[in-house]
Amino acid sequence: MAKTVIQVENLSKQYRLGLVGTGTLQHDLNRWWHKIRGLEDPYLKVTDSNDRSKSGSSEYVWALRDISFKVNEGEVYGIIGKNGAGKSTLLKLLSRVTGPSTGKISIKGRISSLLEVGTAFHPELTGRENVYLNGAIHGMDRREVSQKLDEIINFSGCERYIDTPVKRYSSGMTVRLGFAVAAHLEPDILVIDEVLAVGDAEFQKKCIGKMKDVAGHGRTVLFVSHNMASVKSLCNRGILMQNGRITHENEISEIVSHYLSLNISDNISINQASFDPLHKYPIELKQILVYNTLNKSPAIKTGDPVTVSIDLYNTLGTEASTSIDITLIIKHEDIPVTTLSTRFVDSLSSVNSLTHRIQCQVSNLGLLPGEYTVFVWLGVNGETVNRVESAMKLVVERDQTSWARIQPSISKYGPHVIDQQWQL
Amino acid sequence: METSNSSWDLIIKPQSKWFDLHLRELWKYRDLVYLFVKRDFVTLYKQTILGPAWLIINPLIATLMYTVVFGNIAGLSTDGLPQMLFYMAGTITWEYFSQCLLNTSATFQANANIFGKVYFPRLAIPFSITLSQLLKFALQFLFFMAFWLYFSLNNAEISITWAASLFPLLVLIMAIQALGLGILISALTTKYRDVQNLMTFGVRMAMYATTVVYPLSSMLEGSTKRLFILANPMTPVIETFRFGFLGTGTFSWIHLSYSAASGLILIILGAIVFNRVEKNFMDTV
């Protein structure tokens, strides 16, 4: 079995909200008074979980709560979650920028963290001097940097500027040089936070390649990102975090699909969506239904004739001549697959009754079995009335009869099947 | 598979030992300290015309100012020494102490952005400050010796005494006093910024409580004023320095031991507090 190189046990981190200043001294004294009497820290008990959207009663929050996981040698481990889920706090604790409130992290081997590239670059120093300084900050000695200097400069592509002060560099060049140093660190464990979000496409590709290379040499990588495509292509296992806790730990593809389903609100039903009235426009979305045209059942399969039915409110109550446009973008794992839109046919419509129904007929549903999300946009007279990301979940079920011979997996064949007739 | 506890290279826990300076780790990062010193030195005078000459111009101007204000206008005693030499001896030693103190006490705030992104032994910063200031002091000391030679050739009444051999000890005492007090204050400023505001004029006031612009001998033996000035651990250092290199000044082993002892206490206290704070300071700074 593989060797565990990082072991995190019951790790928690507490932060104090609001201003640090007034009352700090009072809390410190109270804490100290509890401590000398041998009592527990009074502020470690009363805390809310970290949900930024809800206002809590306590001044203290848990940015991380009882996190435990293990990472084995040579794994590329992904950490994903929404903003404020505690990913960055976890990375800070792992890279010893700040200490935990409770719990323990055990690490085997040299660990290097990249929460930012080009940390401590001094604007007045030349590129070369900064390479040495940055290398030293990340724990390399001068001899090591000297050995790799040519390689680093080469990788960064900044040869011409290497003896120019960094303040004259473009921001892209600074990042390139920073990453070049980082890429040549060669620690046993590398912790990376979304640094790939910068630089041009060519350089990003280079970085991903370098990281794969690092992982390929038996070294361990912890990777935090919002970019699901790069997480999926790099990592093999990972955790999903929500409000300071780990909700899932699994193979990376599982984790990514969990993450994507997070964006859909919990009370959503399959193949239909209802919308709360906005009370802002005379015409608004009411509901969308997707069903099999033949038997009116919401269970739809690949190749079925399908009806998409869209109900609108007409709060005017009277006949109104308006141009209504509706666009539904069907996505799989955040990537658009296909689109249904009135804009393709340039249709004008007039709304007459209290509720108005628009229907779209799809004669042959060309989507492989799986889960899709639908982005909805409604425009009246060219103006956006409503746009809802992930308004509904579209589930295409497996058809036992027509797909009997192969496993129709989306990751293998792509989500889209076009109407096809074979002469055999 | 269970790994035994001893096989981990690093264990991160909330509590750290009461007194753990990570000195071994600091030694591993000695190249970083060297590069910080180099950075401080190289960047200080980039894009200046006079460059490192400023290192000499600064104390020279201060010396001239003191000579005019305190020597000529106020007419303070200089123990019969040439005023220029007297003030310069005080200025360069005080300058070393105060610059070390001011810069190390700003450690956490000045480097918050680096500390927030990467781990290295936090003590590397105050150490590198003490060392780069030491380099400056060495240059200023050479300049002082050049002056000394000039005055000596012009038959001024100055002489080097045996106490000059205590010079390395004096530098060490100053360094640990400034470093100890500096890291103590830097640890306090992470939470309570008030201390930082006190620093600038506190250091200036402390200068007048030290024998920089007047000799200790101008205070009456046994007077409260004299005791107060002597309670300042920098006073014996400057007095010994003058006694060693200029031949007059108040020298006493008791005073000097008091200085060294307070330096030791400061550095131990500073290290304890710094050690407590360095782990979590990012949350409050």
Side-chain angles (χ1 to χ4, degrees):
Chain A
M1 195 179 159
K3 217 167 62 175
T4 307
V5 286
I6 301 176
Q7 186 175 328
V8 175
E9 293 159 272
N10 304 320
L11 193 70
S12 297
K13 175 73 183 175
Q14 188 190 49
Y15 279 112
R16 186 168 176 216
L17 294 180
L19 293 170
V20 177
T22 45
T24 322
L25 190 59
Q26 183 203 332
H27 282 206
D28 280 354
L29 290 175
N30 194 8
R31 199 173 267 143
W32 173 78
W33 175 234
H34 276 74
K35 200 171 174 181
I36 55 169
R37 287 181 299 164
L39 296 177
E40 206 189 324
D41 186 337
Y43 300 108
L44 278 182
K45 286 184 283 187
V46 282
T47 32
D48 296 331
S49 82
N50 183 21
D51 189 337
R52 109 187 90 80
S53 51
K54 290 188 195 111
S55 70
S57 52
S58 168
E59 264 182 85
Y60 290 85
V61 288
W62 292 103
L64 282 182
R65 192 82 213 242
D66 290 334
I67 298 280
S68 302
F69 63 92
K70 278 182 188 177
V71 181
N72 292 330
E73 193 173 26
E75 269 188 316
V76 183
Y77 205 77
I79 299 168
I80 57 182
K82 291 197 219 173
N83 282 335
K87 306 179 299 283
S88 299
T89 307
L90 179 58
L91 286 201
K92 276 185 185 167
L93 295 184
L94 279 169
S95 45
R96 291 202 281 168
V97 160
T98 185
S101 303
T102 63
K104 190 169 111 176
I105 306 173
S106 314
I107 291 166
K108 195 179 297 176
R110 188 164 103 163
I111 185 165
S112 243
S113 61
L114 267 182
L115 305 189
E116 180 189 75
V117 291
T119 310
F121 269 10
H122 195 292
E124 298 287 350
L125 295 178
T126 67
R128 191 186 304 272
E129 287 167 328
N130 268 315
V131 167
Y132 276 98
L133 186 62
N134 198 239
I137 278 181
H138 284 109
M140 279 201 269
D141 56 39
R142 267 180 291 160
R143 201 170 35 84
E144 236 178 304
V145 181
S146 300
Q147 277 171 4
K148 292 181 191 148
L149 191 64
D150 291 335
E151 230 177 298
I152 291 172
I153 295 172
N154 227 333
F155 187 85
S156 73
C158 299
E159 290 95 332
R160 256 196 100 178
Y161 289 82
I162 203 66
D163 289 312
T164 305
V166 164
K167 63 177 173 180
R168 310 248 180 268
Y169 280 32
S170 74
S171 52
M173 269 160 58
T174 318
V175 168
R176 278 161 166 264
L177 193 62
F179 191 86
V181 179
H184 292 82
L185 284 178
E186 301 193 357
D188 303 314
I189 303 165
L190 186 62
V191 178
I192 303 186
D193 191 8
E194 292 205 272
V195 284
L196 297 176
V198 284
D200 54 29
E202 176 226 334
F203 191 67
Q204 281 190 22
K205 222 170 128 190
K206 222 169 168 181
C207 298
I208 296 257
K210 184 74 196 178
M211 280 169 64
K212 278 192 173 151
D213 209 35
V214 167
H217 282 81
R219 275 175 266 150
T220 313
V221 180
L222 258 81
F223 183 53
V224 168
S225 176
H226 285 291
N227 184 341
M228 290 304 128
S230 55
V231 168
K232 258 183 124 171
S233 75
L234 274 172
C235 306
N236 40 28
R237 228 155 57 84
I239 50 174
L240 174 62
M241 297 185 65
Q242 250 181 301
N243 297 334
R245 291 168 196 268
I246 294 178
T247 51
H248 296 92
E249 179 180 8
N250 213 327
E251 295 294 313
I252 200 67
S253 52
E254 285 280 312
I255 297 294
V256 169
S257 58
H258 269 299
Y259 172 76
L260 293 168
S261 68
L262 275 185
N263 294 327
I264 303 166
S265 53
D266 301 331
N267 54 2
I268 203 161
S269 33
I270 291 161
N271 297 354
Q272 82 163 64
S274 309
F275 300 89
D276 297 326
L278 300 169
H279 299 300
K280 267 163 76 184
Y281 303 94
I283 290 162
E284 286 177 358
L285 277 170
K286 190 180 179 195
Q287 73 165 357
I288 300 175
L289 290 172
V290 180
Y291 54 86
N292 183 317
T293 315
L294 299 177
N295 57 14
K296 309 276 186 257
S297 146
I300 51 171
K301 297 192 285 284
T302 310
D304 276 356
V306 164
T307 302
V308 180
S309 166
I310 300 144
D311 286 348
L312 300 175
Y313 288 112
N314 173 12
T315 47
L316 292 175
T318 55
E319 188 172 336
S321 179
T322 38
S323 127
I324 295 169
D325 275 312
I326 186 141
T327 297
L328 308 173
I329 301 175
I330 297 167
K331 299 181 179 183
H332 181 260
E333 292 190 346
D334 245 15
I335 297 158
V337 176
T338 187
T339 299
L340 304 172
S341 178
T342 56
R343 300 179 124 193
F344 293 157
V345 291
D346 193 27
S347 67
L348 256 166
S349 174
S350 67
V351 181
N352 42 34
S353 54
L354 268 172
T355 55
H356 186 84
R357 176 164 290 177
I358 303 172
Q359 285 194 329
C360 174
Q361 303 290 341
V362 178
S363 57
N364 185 342
L365 185 67
L367 297 174
L368 279 189
E371 283 186 15
Y372 300 84
T373 56
V374 183
F375 164 92
V376 178
W377 177 84
L378 175 73
V380 175
N381 296 327
E383 195 191 333
T384 300
V385 167
N386 206 347
R387 63 196 305 279
V388 187
E389 193 75 53
S390 307
M392 64 189 287
K393 196 195 255 184
L394 197 65
V395 176
V396 178
E397 290 174 6
R398 277 197 64 186
D399 185 343
Q400 300 296 340
T401 52
S402 60
W403 290 91
R405 288 173 58 210
I406 60 162
Q407 283 284 339
S409 98
I410 293 176
S411 58
K412 194 168 174 188
Y413 301 109
H416 204 197
V417 268
I418 50 173
D419 206 6
Q420 46 197 294
Q421 271 81 41
W422 289 87
Q423 271 86 46
L424 296 169
Chain B
M1 177 215 67
E2 268 308 308
T3 342
S4 70
N5 241 357
S6 56
S7 69
W8 298 109
D9 294 321
L10 172 69
I11 291 178
I12 302 169
K13 279 196 292 195
Q15 297 91 14
S16 50
K17 269 178 274 171
W18 187 245
F19 187 76
D20 184 5
L21 277 181
H22 315 289
L23 282 179
R24 191 187 296 175
E25 207 180 15
L26 192 63
W27 177 246
K28 269 206 306 203
Y29 277 83
R30 59 189 182 278
D31 275 340
L32 181 64
V33 175
Y34 164 79
L35 284 163
F36 274 141
V37 171
K38 196 177 154 196
R39 176 195 70 177
D40 287 349
F41 225 72
V42 169
T43 56
L44 199 51
Y45 301 108
K46 279 220 171 170
Q47 277 198 13
T48 60
I49 295 167
L50 293 175
W54 281 109
L55 283 177
I56 290 161
I57 296 168
N58 278 337
L60 187 63
I61 289 172
T63 303
L64 286 172
M65 216 168 67
Y66 294 155
T67 309
V68 171
V69 177
F70 299 109
N72 293 353
I73 300 174
L76 294 181
S77 144
T78 56
D79 262 356
L81 293 169
Q83 288 179 337
M84 285 283 274
L85 279 182
F86 179 86
Y87 291 124
M88 190 172 279
T91 310
I92 61 168
T93 40
W94 179 258
E95 195 68 1
Y96 174 64
F97 172 78
S98 65
Q99 285 301 318
C100 277
L101 178 58
L102 280 173
N103 286 314
T104 49
S105 69
T107 299
F108 284 115
Q109 273 169 305
N111 297 286
N113 61 333
I114 305 178
F115 285 174
K117 297 295 177 192
V118 62
Y119 175 83
F120 53 88
R122 301 325 196 191
L123 265 183
I125 296 267
F127 255 90
S128 69
I129 291 169
T130 316
L131 287 177
S132 60
Q133 293 295 339
L134 189 64
L135 266 177
K136 285 188 209 168
F137 177 64
L139 276 174
Q140 293 175 345
F141 177 71
L142 285 178
F143 181 61
F144 167 77
M145 286 317 283
F147 254 69
W148 185 92
L149 206 64
Y150 171 81
F151 274 91
S152 167
L153 291 174
N154 285 292
N155 301 319
E157 282 183 27
I158 46 175
S159 56
I160 288 195
T161 63
W162 63 272
S165 63
L166 292 175
F167 181 60
L169 181 68
L170 295 182
V171 174
L172 185 69
I173 291 174
M174 280 196 288
I176 61 168
Q177 277 181 2
L179 184 64
L181 193 58
I183 59 178
L184 185 67
I185 290 168
S186 72
L188 292 177
T189 48
T190 61
K191 255 191 179 170
Y192 306 105
R193 294 269 173 92
D194 316 53
V195 192
Q196 189 69 40
N197 292 324
L198 275 171
M199 281 307 288
T200 350
F201 75 85
V203 165
R204 200 173 308 148
M205 273 168 53
M207 187 188 97
Y208 292 108
T210 318
T211 53
V212 175
V213 294
Y214 53 83
L216 187 64
S217 61
S218 63
M219 312 271 159
L220 274 176
E221 196 81 40
S223 68
T224 26
K225 246 196 311 186
R226 186 184 164 96
L227 281 176
F228 175 73
I229 299 299
L230 266 176
N232 176 347
M234 267 302 284
T235 300
V237 175
I238 292 184
E239 284 296 316
T240 309
F241 182 82
R242 286 210 184 105
F243 176 66
F245 288 95
L246 302 174
T248 33
T250 314
F251 175 78
S252 137
W253 281 110
I254 298 169
H255 295 171
L256 201 60
S257 328
Y258 162 72
S259 245
S262 34
L264 277 176
I265 290 169
L266 278 174
I267 195 114
I268 289 168
L269 201 65
I272 289 172
V273 178
F274 192 88
N275 183 41
R276 301 286 299 164
V277 164
E278 64 169 353
K279 234 177 189 180
N280 287 312
F281 92 98
M282 269 320 293
D283 307 342
T284 48
V285 76

